[in-house]
Amino acid sequence: MTHRIGVIGGDGIGPEVIAEAVKVVDAAGVAYERTDYDLGAHRYLEDGTVLPDEVLEEWRGLDALLLGAVGDPAPGLSAPAGLVERGILLRMRFDLDQYINLRPFRLPPRCDFDVIRENTEGTYAGEGGFLRKGTEHEIATQGSVNTRMGVERCVRYAFEKAAGTERQQLTLVHKKNVLTFAGDLWQRVFDMVAEEYPQVTTSYDHIDAACIHFVERPERYDVIVTDNLFGDILTDLGGAVAGGVGYAASANLNPARTGPSMFEPVHGTAPDIAGQGVANPVAAIISARLMLEFLGEHDAAAKVAAACASPEQYTGTTAEIGDAIADAVKNA
């Protein structure tokens, strides 16, 4: 099968690390058709383009998207705060229904767990507004949107994931003692779906307690499910716990496959080191491995996973690390 993959290098170190991820995919021998897209803050600053409607429609015909990072393209340059992130990342997630954000964290024996984050609702849905903006009596509201359908499909995905692990454990993370409406919905749906998976051991942690456990005892977790905002924060902490954000990968999944899923490292654009050949490409390479798994290229994904099992062994420039992992994949 020949897969149709869109590649968005993006800004800062994005093109550098994505080049190495593509190099590793090539080494794995996967057949694909590649289409490159020039998008990001650099493009916005050139001509005001964020994400044209025709590009989004073209993406609907692809199997996957591989993204470097979007944001500040270089020191001293930036688009208006959040404009590119909302216009590309959030629009992509919402319009292509990438409702699962999956982030694996592997640093045995310290940690070996997955965080499943609801990716299209919560505080990122855009509900809210201003009253009396610009006055001393200004009011800003920002609500959290949680639908039964959105919560349930995320929770079901998490139970399926946990049922397939060796430990078969799933932890719901929220703040239901304070967020009594959203938290209540998440807990009720979680308990309901749990009845269909008696083999999965379940538990609950408040988000603040989970942050403490991530630092002190991350080995306690197997699979975690949480909402959009908490998942965003918790997974950045998870990257630090699991060796650094240079190893932190993610998948933005449309499990129904009504549109492409998107795969990206979570480290950002790091414009201060762009072009120096010192960016760690491992997170982008692991993101490409998640893409291969989702595309059904399990043998190729297994080779990449084996090559990245001890990523700290790879040193050198960005390209040298990519070459070494590609060689390991070829020789697997």
Side-chain angles (χ1 to χ4, degrees):
M1 178 182 294
T2 299
H3 307 287
R4 296 160 299 174
I5 299 175
V7 177
I8 309 137
D11 299 307
I13 63 171
E16 299 173 57
V17 298
I18 286 300
E20 303 312 310
V22 171
K23 182 187 295 181
V24 172
V25 171
D26 291 340
V30 175
Y32 67 96
E33 296 176 356
R34 171 178 172 173
T35 304
D36 288 277
Y37 295 93
D38 180 23
L39 297 171
H42 72 279
R43 177 69 185 277
Y44 173 80
L45 292 172
E46 286 176 3
D47 60 16
T49 297
V50 180
L51 176 54
D53 292 343
E54 58 269 24
V55 171
L56 186 67
E57 286 306 308
E58 186 176 324
W59 284 353
R60 296 185 190 278
L62 300 179
D63 298 308
L65 294 159
L66 187 60
L67 171 68
V70 292
D72 295 348
L77 292 176
S78 63
L83 184 146
V84 171
E85 292 85 348
R86 291 193 307 271
I88 297 178
L89 294 178
L90 294 190
R91 188 180 180 199
M92 184 189 304
R93 292 170 181 172
F94 295 164
D95 287 17
L96 300 177
D97 206 21
Q98 297 167 351
Y99 63 86
I100 295 294
N101 186 283
L102 171 65
R103 297 189 181 182
F105 299 97
R106 307 281 184 265
L107 189 64
R110 177 165 171 75
C111 64
D112 184 1
F113 62 86
D114 295 301
V115 177
I116 294 168
R117 161 189 169 192
E118 199 291 317
N119 213 27
T120 61
E121 297 188 347
T123 51
Y124 293 3
E127 191 276 334
F130 292 101
L131 291 174
R132 307 184 188 95
K133 187 175 182 179
T135 75
E136 63 180 3
H137 301 293
E138 181 173 345
I139 300 170
T141 63
Q142 194 82 58
S144 179
V145 177
N146 300 265
T147 69
R148 171 64 177 266
M149 180 197 76
V151 173
E152 184 172 341
R153 66 183 183 175
C154 180
V155 167
R156 286 190 178 280
Y157 183 91
F159 270 100
E160 281 293 314
K161 185 73 173 177
T165 68
E166 181 177 355
R167 294 164 63 187
Q168 295 187 316
Q169 297 176 358
L170 179 61
T171 303
L172 170 63
V173 171
H174 210 281
K175 190 68 175 175
K176 64 181 184 180
N177 59 333
V178 176
L179 304 178
T180 53
F181 303 120
D184 181 73
L185 174 60
W186 274 86
Q187 186 68 70
R188 282 187 289 111
V189 170
F190 186 84
D191 292 342
M192 178 193 73
V193 178
E195 295 179 1
E196 302 174 28
Y197 294 86
Q199 74 275 36
V200 176
T201 302
T202 61
S203 60
Y204 171 85
D205 282 336
H206 290 321
I207 178 61
D208 42 357
C211 288
I212 295 171
H213 296 321
F214 263 40
V215 174
E216 295 182 346
R217 292 188 298 154
E219 69 277 3
R220 68 181 271 144
Y221 292 117
D222 181 22
V223 179
I224 292 169
V225 64
T226 188
D227 81 347
N228 208 337
L229 177 60
F230 293 149
D232 191 4
I233 297 168
L234 197 60
T235 51
D236 282 352
L237 178 58
V241 168
V245 293
Y247 302 134
S250 75
N252 297 268
L253 302 177
N254 177 333
R257 300 179 191 266
T258 57
S261 295
M262 185 269 283
F263 304 83
E264 61 171 334
V266 303
H267 49 53
T269 62
D272 56 319
I273 61 170
Q276 300 177 31
V278 298
N280 188 343
V282 171
I285 292 169
I286 296 174
S287 298
R289 187 261 296 172
L290 295 173
M291 179 183 73
L292 294 176
E293 288 179 350
F294 192 74
L295 293 175
E297 298 287 352
H298 301 297
D299 289 343
K303 291 178 182 179
V304 178
C308 295
S310 299
E312 69 280 356
Q313 68 181 293
Y314 300 109
T315 59
T317 67
T318 305
E320 287 170 346
I321 293 174
D323 288 340
I325 296 175
D327 288 342
V329 170
K330 287 179 183 177
N331 297 325

